[in-house]
């Protein structure tokens, strides 16, 4: 009932207050400074900081091209992809070997309801997926193909497959070093394996682990507010406005933000149990809705599908007409995959650590499915829709508008369905990042309930602000902070991966001997 209520309310919101937010933002930008004193002052004050953060975290080095047309590679993408490659090799292609076992765990084949934890394997997965499956799967893929050509899709898939190994190791550590409280609730994630894990295995470096944990927690809190609350709410409103084209009430964005925040609050105040319950229904539903729409476009253009796959393969290794050629396509594919599935950032480990299990490795196997769903399936479907409709060659649009145009080629109603999907994607991301930020806050303030709920209410208030104020600079800072998370997280994971390897050897041996037995008696959800 609750998930129907959320879906119906969000759909009502789309119809009731949908209006041209992008046009509003343009009008705001063009208006005299005196009319938007508050927003402009905030933006002017924050912009230098935003530029400084972005220039560092997204700094690029030239890897190909010419002085006139250089091909630049963001170092943070290299940091994430290198880690994914290292983990894939170090754990013997666990992304392939563990795929089937992970599916069995998701289905509840090894579940034990008496284990410590708050949610099932399935709900832990859907909670984490809801934080990664978002606007990047729709708008970001379009940008990658526009710049890198169809060949970027191939490299995007490869990066997604490698990212499965990153999720495996960081989510295993999340469960391994989590804290079980007297009331049965769980706190886990990079904050805990960076502090507790490094202290336990490298006692002399305990201080270093705590520094990494604090940096990670601060970046998670601030990044969640900007990217999880403000950006998602703002973009959901903007996309709905684009397709409705109706006249907006004077305070339409405010009402949208308020209803969006109230719906989010109903979920996030209840903690991971409520979030898991909602996302267990919302994530499969919204993914199925999007995939059905994509499949409709694909089957409508079935004769073009073989050509699309050939364009992807040819573009991956020739990339004619693309700036930087093959290297340019590779960079765009890797960049989109890294930004979409967040493998290496450590965020998903916060949700996965709440799972009901006695075996930390079991959640690692479940977690490796996350980049597969996010990148290999959903992002690839977006890419196919764009390529077979040739919208990347038409021009005149980019981001979510390009994807919307691709859907519109088969029916003028499809962009409206896409707008609903965008709203659901944004909402699911908002509720999951609220939990991530709250847990980071709780860690910094020693599990204080006051701090936990105080952060949640502030987070929801910022979702309203995100709809009503053009604070692009704050979102830019948040974007940078999200990727700063990858630095302390992966340093810690590198230090602790031998611990995971020892546990993996033990787990596989016990699985083979039957000591870890199937139960087949617990439903996945």
């Amino acid at each position: 009932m609750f998930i129907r209520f959320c879906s119906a309310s969000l759909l009502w919101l789309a119809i009731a207050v949908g209006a041209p937010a992008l046009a509003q933002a343009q009008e705001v930008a063009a208006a005299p400074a005196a009319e938007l004193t508050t927003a402009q002052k905030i933006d002017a004050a924050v912009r230098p900081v935003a530029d400084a953060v972005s220039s560092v975290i997204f700094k690029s080095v030239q890897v190909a091209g010419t002085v006139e047309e250089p091909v630049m590679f963001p170092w943070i993408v290299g940091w994430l992809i290198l880690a994914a490659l290292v983990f894939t090799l170090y754990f013997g292609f666990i992304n392939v070997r563990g795929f089937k076992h992970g599916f069995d765990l998701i289905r509840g084949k090894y579940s034990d309801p008496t284990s410590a934890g708050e949610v099932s394997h399935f709900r832990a997965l859907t909670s984490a997926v809801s934080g990664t499956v978002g606007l990047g799967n729709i708008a970001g893929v379009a940008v990658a193909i526009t710049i890198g050509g169809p060949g970027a899709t191939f490299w995007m898939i490869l990066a997604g497959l490698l990212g499965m190994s990153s999720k495996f190791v960081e989510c295993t550590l999340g469960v391994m070093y989590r804290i079980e409280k007297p009331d049965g609730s769980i706190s886990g994630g990079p904050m805990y394996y960076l502090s507790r894990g490094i202290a336990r295995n490298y006692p002399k470096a305990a201080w270093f682990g705590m520094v990494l944990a604090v940096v990670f927690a601060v970046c998670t809190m601030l990044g969640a507010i900007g990217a999880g609350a403000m950006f998602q709410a703002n973009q959901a409103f903007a996309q709905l406005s684009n397709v409705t084209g109706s006249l907006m009430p004077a305070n339409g964005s405010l009402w949208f933000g308020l209803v969006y925040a109230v719906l989010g609050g109903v979920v996030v105040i209840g903690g991971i149990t409520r979030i898991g319950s909602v996302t267990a229904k919302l994530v499969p539903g919204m993914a199925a809705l999007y995939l059905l729409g994509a499949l409709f476009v694909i089957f409508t253009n079935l004769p073009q599908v073989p050509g699309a796959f050939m364009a992807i393969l040819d573009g991956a290794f020739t990339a004619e007409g693309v700036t930087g050629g093959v290297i340019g396509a590779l960079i765009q594919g890797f960049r989109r995959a890294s930004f979409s599935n967040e493998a290496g950032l450590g965020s998903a480990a916060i949700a996965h650590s709440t799972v009901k299990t006695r075996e930390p490795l079991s959640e690692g196997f479940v977690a490796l499915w996350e980049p597969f769903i996010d990148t290999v399936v959903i992002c690839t479907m977006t890419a196919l829709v764009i390529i077979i409709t040739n919208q990347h060659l038409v021009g005149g649009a980019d981001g979510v508008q390009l994807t919307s145009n691709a859907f519109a080629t088969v029916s003028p109603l499809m962009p409206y369905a896409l707008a609903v999907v965008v709203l659901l994607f944004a909402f699911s991301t908002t509720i999951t990042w609220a939990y991530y930020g709250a847990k980071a806050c709780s860690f910094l303030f020693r599990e204080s309930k006051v701090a936990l709920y105080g952060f949640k209410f502030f987070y929801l208030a910022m979702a309203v602000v995100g709809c009503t104020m053009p604070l692009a600079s704050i979102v830019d800072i948040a974007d940078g902070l999200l990727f700063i998370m990858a630095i302390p997280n992966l340093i810690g994971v590198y230090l602790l991966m031998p611990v995971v390897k020892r546990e993996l050897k033990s787990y596989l041996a016990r699985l083979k001997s039957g000591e870890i037995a199937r139960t087949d008696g617990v439903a996945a959800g």
Side-chain angles (χ1 to χ4, degrees):
M1 284 297 296
F2 180 76
I3 193 63
R4 292 195 192 99
F5 168 71
C6 281
S7 299
S9 299
L10 289 169
L11 187 55
W12 168 82
L13 198 56
I15 298 170
V17 299
L22 290 183
Q24 180 198 29
Q26 291 170 353
E27 291 171 6
V28 163
E35 294 182 21
L36 290 172
T37 305
T38 302
Q40 289 190 340
K41 282 185 176 179
I42 293 174
D43 192 72
V46 175
R47 173 51 60 187
V49 180
D51 291 342
V53 171
S54 296
S55 65
V56 173
I57 196 64
F58 296 118
K59 183 176 178 60
S60 300
V61 294
Q62 184 175 347
V63 294
T66 63
V67 175
E68 293 76 16
E69 291 187 342
V71 178
M72 309 299 290
F73 191 84
W75 76 267
I76 192 64
V77 174
W79 174 251
L80 292 167
I81 295 297
L82 175 63
L85 180 60
V86 168
F87 299 145
T88 298
L89 297 175
Y90 186 78
F91 290 99
F93 292 90
I94 194 65
N95 50 345
V96 178
R97 292 193 295 137
F99 194 72
K100 181 182 181 301
H101 184 56
F103 185 62
D104 288 338
L105 287 160
I106 294 167
R107 295 169 62 204
K109 297 299 182 181
Y110 292 86
S111 296
D112 180 358
T114 65
S115 298
E118 299 182 71
V119 296
S120 67
H121 286 297
F122 177 74
R123 290 189 175 183
L125 176 66
T126 56
S127 295
V129 167
S130 71
T132 59
V133 174
L135 299 176
N137 299 76
I138 299 174
V141 174
V143 172
I145 295 174
T146 300
I147 300 174
T153 307
F154 176 88
W155 300 110
M156 179 181 67
I157 294 171
L158 178 60
L161 294 172
L162 292 175
M164 293 166 68
S165 300
S166 297
K167 287 290 176 97
F168 167 81
V169 62
E170 62 189 5
C171 292
T172 294
L173 289 169
V175 180
M176 193 176 293
Y177 294 104
R178 68 186 183 180
I179 292 176
E180 300 173 18
K181 301 177 186 177
D183 63 359
S185 63
I186 300 292
S187 287
M191 302 84 69
Y192 296 90
Y193 62 70
L194 292 173
S195 55
R196 302 179 76 207
I198 291 177
R200 186 177 302 176
N201 293 278
Y202 304 93
K204 293 183 179 180
W207 64 271
F208 180 61
M210 181 56 71
V211 169
L212 294 178
V214 169
V215 171
F216 180 91
V218 170
C219 289
T220 301
M221 284 177 58
L222 298 177
I225 291 169
M230 300 175 71
F231 177 75
Q232 297 298 328
N234 178 279
Q235 290 299 294
F237 180 58
Q239 174 57 14
L240 288 170
S241 301
N242 286 338
V243 298
T244 59
S246 60
L247 294 175
M248 180 176 58
N251 55 357
S253 60
L254 175 62
W255 282 109
F256 182 95
L258 286 171
V259 177
Y260 188 93
V262 168
L263 290 174
V266 172
V267 182
V268 304
I269 299 301
I272 191 62
T273 304
R274 177 72 60 79
I275 292 172
S277 176
V278 172
T279 57
K281 300 176 180 66
L282 184 61
V283 169
M286 69 184 191
L289 180 61
Y290 183 68
L291 294 178
L292 282 173
L295 287 172
F296 181 71
V297 176
I298 291 170
F299 281 108
T300 302
N301 296 274
L302 202 57
Q304 282 72 46
V305 172
F309 279 109
M310 288 303 299
I312 290 171
L313 291 174
D314 288 345
F317 300 102
T318 59
E320 295 180 5
V322 174
T323 301
V326 173
I327 300 298
L330 180 149
I331 291 172
Q332 290 303 319
F334 278 10
R335 178 171 183 166
R336 178 42 40 208
S338 299
F339 286 13
S340 178
N341 62 47
E342 300 172 9
L345 266 63
S347 52
I350 302 174
H352 283 284
S353 63
T354 62
V355 70
K356 291 180 180 179
T357 186
R358 293 188 177 90
E359 299 285 348
L361 263 295
S362 66
E363 195 58 20
F365 284 105
V366 170
L368 61 79
W369 268 76
E370 195 181 323
F372 180 81
I373 295 169
D374 177 276
T375 305
V376 179
V377 176
I378 298 179
C379 286
T380 301
M381 293 294 279
T382 301
L384 282 175
V385 166
I386 293 170
I387 294 168
I388 64 175
T389 58
N390 289 319
Q391 288 302 303
H392 61 298
L393 302 176
V394 172
D398 57 12
V400 69
Q401 188 59 51
L402 178 62
T403 307
S404 182
N405 290 348
F407 276 90
T409 60
V410 296
S411 170
L413 297 177
M414 290 295 283
Y416 293 92
L418 181 64
V420 174
V421 171
V422 166
L423 180 55
L424 294 175
F425 278 16
F427 183 72
S428 69
T429 302
T430 295
I431 62 176
T432 299
W433 273 96
Y435 178 75
Y436 293 166
K439 279 301 181 182
C441 178
S442 182
F443 170 80
L444 290 174
F445 292 93
R446 300 185 178 183
E447 309 300 319
S448 166
K449 291 285 187 181
V450 174
L452 178 68
Y453 286 101
F455 175 86
K456 288 181 178 180
F457 283 111
F458 181 75
Y459 178 92
L460 293 169
M462 289 300 99
V464 180
V465 172
C467 287
T468 58
M469 299 184 74
L471 302 178
S473 299
I474 289 180
V475 175
D476 287 346
I477 289 179
D479 217 21
L481 290 171
L482 286 182
F483 284 90
I484 290 177
M485 290 162 56
I487 301 172
N489 178 58
L490 289 178
I491 291 173
V493 174
Y494 279 132
L495 291 172
L496 295 172
M497 64 183 186
V499 179
V500 177
K501 191 165 190 176
R502 289 196 300 269
E503 291 298 317
L504 175 61
K505 184 177 180 181
S506 169
Y507 181 89
L508 293 177
R510 287 181 290 125
L511 187 65
K512 185 176 181 180
S513 68
E515 183 179 342
I516 299 176
R518 291 171 64 113
T519 57
D520 294 344
V522 181

